[in-house]
Amino acid sequence: MTKFLETRFQLEEEQTTVRKEILAGITTFVALSYIIAVNGSILSMAGMSYEWVTLSTALTAFIGCMLMAFVGNSPLVVVPGMGDNAFFVFVLVASFGLTWQQALAATLIAGILFLVIANKKVTNFLIEVIPKSMIAAMSGGIGMFIAFLGFKNSGIIIADESTFVRLADLREVIPLTAVLTLVIMVILFLKNVKGNFLIGIISGTLIAVTFGLVDFSGIGQGAVSFSGYSSQLFAFDFSAAKGFNFWIAVFSLTMMIVFQNMGAQLSMLPEKEKFPVSFRINALSVIISAILGTCATTSAAENAAGLAVGGRTGLTSFIAGILFLPAILFVPLFRIIPQSAISPVLIIVGCLMVMNVKDVLWGDFSEAFPAYLMMVIMPLTFNVANGLAFGFIAYPLVKGVMGKSKEVKPLMYVLSALFLIYFILGSG
């Protein structure tokens, strides 16, 4: 069996092992498993069934992982994303006034457009014409966003009326638990302990149990009922397509999913030559998500947790994908893993991604300023697409002012214009 896996996923060529890939798959799954329980809670605000969305989430993740594993041999896992479910509920439904069925139709069309854009020649062209400083800034900005998300979810950083955010009282039990877990994880990471993140998550959960932060009451509940799920399959409603508002929604969603996934994949994939296929699979998974009745999928930031422990091939995504199926039966168990145990992973991974900003040409202000805007806007607006928009809009403007317009490829002007429209339409 080991020999088969080594051959099928080209482990020797990728300089990895079955054990390392399995550990990476488990780590990625553990870091992402919360989405199974959380996605339903968010999408139910749009009128969808929590139980149906839970099933859709697991099935979409499973299919996406299998495609990544056997078609792309990519370690990335695609799941319905946290930002994507919020966009579905608060932008497509609440802001644009679509029903959830119409929002699914918009997601389907956006996924099809994504698939067209994800053509190999198009993606290779994008890699060639997008400046290296911008790609490095994507990684750094997403890293800062991930770190901010980790500090926020762990309770280390909290809201403040006068300064927006501030440091929590670290003597309080929730942030204290997160800090202790972070210390353990950093030590394990620095010592290069195998399975450091996984061990850290388990340790963090045990610390939370010691402090009485884990509620075990939901574990004994009965199985989740998925009766009637068929009504959520192919539940598209295209009746709103005759209105301009619908197409604004489609455009906004397409812009978000294409560029946030491009940024995520380019910054996380160990082997960039896998990007074209991996990117197309990501697009296909968005279409699948709409068919199965959930929000658009994303190359989740938490993938970096699995990559950090050595995941390099499709065996990582295969293992993670397999675990999504039985996970449906253990939703109450996943609910007990506290954010204080998961968030420190994001904080460390954020640092690893920010280290890529060394590739930004900091000595050239025309390169540095757009990259800087991209990186700071992502965490400050809590939106990856907004940061991308600021960076791409600023790049040709700054180059032009500094008399360096010849360095700007035509596509950069197109992207700048599209992102400007994105803001004018109020989708930022």
Side-chain angles (χ1 to χ4, degrees):
M1 185 62 173
T2 299
K3 189 63 177 177
F4 169 76
L5 294 175
E6 289 176 346
T7 303
R8 180 63 184 79
F9 294 106
Q10 303 173 358
L11 302 190
E12 186 174 343
E13 292 89 331
E14 298 286 355
Q15 298 180 340
T16 185
T17 64
V18 171
R19 179 181 177 184
K20 188 180 293 184
E21 293 290 308
I22 291 176
L23 182 59
I26 294 173
T27 302
T28 302
F29 171 75
V30 171
L32 279 169
S33 59
Y34 69 90
I35 195 66
I36 301 173
V38 174
N39 201 40
S41 298
I42 294 177
L43 293 186
S44 62
M45 298 179 190
M48 304 177 79
S49 165
Y50 173 87
E51 292 161 332
W52 296 353
V53 173
T54 300
L55 180 57
S56 294
T57 300
L59 290 177
T60 299
F62 170 75
I63 295 172
C65 287
M66 294 304 105
L67 290 172
M68 282 290 186
F70 293 105
V71 179
N73 195 23
S74 169
L76 297 184
V77 169
V78 286
V79 296
M82 287 298 293
D84 299 88
N85 51 28
F87 192 93
F88 188 100
V89 174
F90 301 114
V91 177
L92 298 183
V93 176
S95 296
F96 287 107
L98 305 179
T99 65
W100 65 264
Q101 293 91 341
Q102 292 167 341
L104 285 177
T107 302
L108 176 68
I109 296 173
I112 293 172
L113 293 174
F114 186 177
L115 188 59
V116 172
I117 294 171
N119 176 275
K120 184 176 181 179
K121 291 183 179 179
V122 176
T123 52
N124 284 336
F125 173 70
L126 291 175
I127 293 174
E128 290 176 3
V129 301
I130 296 177
K132 292 182 179 180
S133 289
M134 299 298 282
I135 294 176
M138 289 181 194
S139 177
I142 292 173
M144 292 172 67
F145 174 81
I146 291 171
F148 183 70
L149 184 66
F151 282 115
K152 171 185 171 294
N153 290 350
S154 65
I156 296 175
I157 288 178
I158 59 176
D160 184 273
E161 289 186 4
S162 58
T163 61
F164 296 108
V165 294
R166 66 177 175 84
L167 185 67
D169 184 349
L170 299 183
R171 294 170 296 181
E172 294 182 0
V173 66
I174 293 178
L176 176 59
T177 301
V179 170
L180 292 175
T181 305
L182 178 61
V183 170
I184 292 173
M185 284 192 184
V186 169
I187 293 173
L188 292 172
F189 183 79
L190 292 175
K191 295 295 184 181
N192 200 28
V193 175
K194 301 296 183 182
N196 42 40
F197 287 132
L198 184 58
I199 295 172
I201 290 172
I202 295 173
S203 300
T205 302
L206 294 176
I207 293 172
V209 170
T210 302
F211 284 122
L213 297 177
V214 178
D215 181 9
F216 293 97
S217 61
I219 295 181
Q221 294 177 356
V224 180
S225 172
F226 298 107
S227 60
Y229 173 68
S230 59
S231 63
Q232 192 161 319
L233 296 172
F234 298 94
F236 312 118
D237 178 2
F238 293 96
S239 61
K242 56 187 177 183
F244 184 62
N245 216 37
F246 178 83
W247 294 104
I248 295 177
V250 169
F251 172 77
S252 302
L253 178 60
T254 303
M255 290 290 286
M256 184 188 76
I257 61 178
V258 168
F259 285 98
Q260 76 175 9
N261 283 297
M262 178 184 293
Q265 291 207 12
L266 285 175
S267 62
M268 288 192 292
L269 271 174
E271 305 294 336
K272 296 299 184 288
E273 59 266 23
K274 293 183 179 181
F275 170 70
V277 176
S278 183
F279 199 45
R280 288 201 299 276
I281 293 171
N282 198 157
L284 183 58
S285 72
V286 173
I287 298 174
I288 293 170
S289 71
I291 292 173
L292 295 181
T294 186
C295 64
T297 54
T298 186
S299 300
E302 290 87 348
N303 271 296
L307 298 177
V309 297
R312 298 184 65 85
T313 75
L315 183 53
T316 293
S317 49
F318 173 75
I319 295 299
I322 287 293
L323 292 174
F324 273 102
L325 293 183
I328 299 172
L329 304 176
F330 299 97
V331 170
L333 181 61
F334 288 118
R335 280 177 171 167
I336 75 168
I337 300 176
Q339 281 295 324
S340 61
I342 296 175
S343 297
V345 177
L346 303 183
I347 296 171
I348 296 173
V349 166
C351 175
L352 296 175
M353 296 184 70
V354 170
M355 289 168 67
N356 290 320
V357 302
K358 66 181 184 299
D359 294 327
V360 175
L361 300 178
W362 294 111
D364 182 347
F365 190 82
S366 66
E367 295 280 335
F369 187 70
Y372 156 77
L373 278 182
M374 183 181 290
M375 290 188 292
V376 298
I377 291 296
M378 285 186 191
L380 291 180
T381 65
F382 212 68
N383 187 301
V384 171
N386 285 348
L388 294 171
F390 265 82
F392 279 107
I393 291 172
Y395 190 84
L397 291 177
V398 176
K399 286 288 186 180
V401 171
M402 297 185 68
K404 297 183 177 182
S405 296
K406 292 183 179 180
E407 297 180 9
V408 183
K409 303 291 185 180
L411 178 65
M412 292 300 291
Y413 289 108
V414 174
L415 294 176
S416 179
L418 289 175
F419 274 118
L420 188 60
I421 295 172
Y422 174 81
F423 280 137
I424 291 174
L425 295 177
S427 301

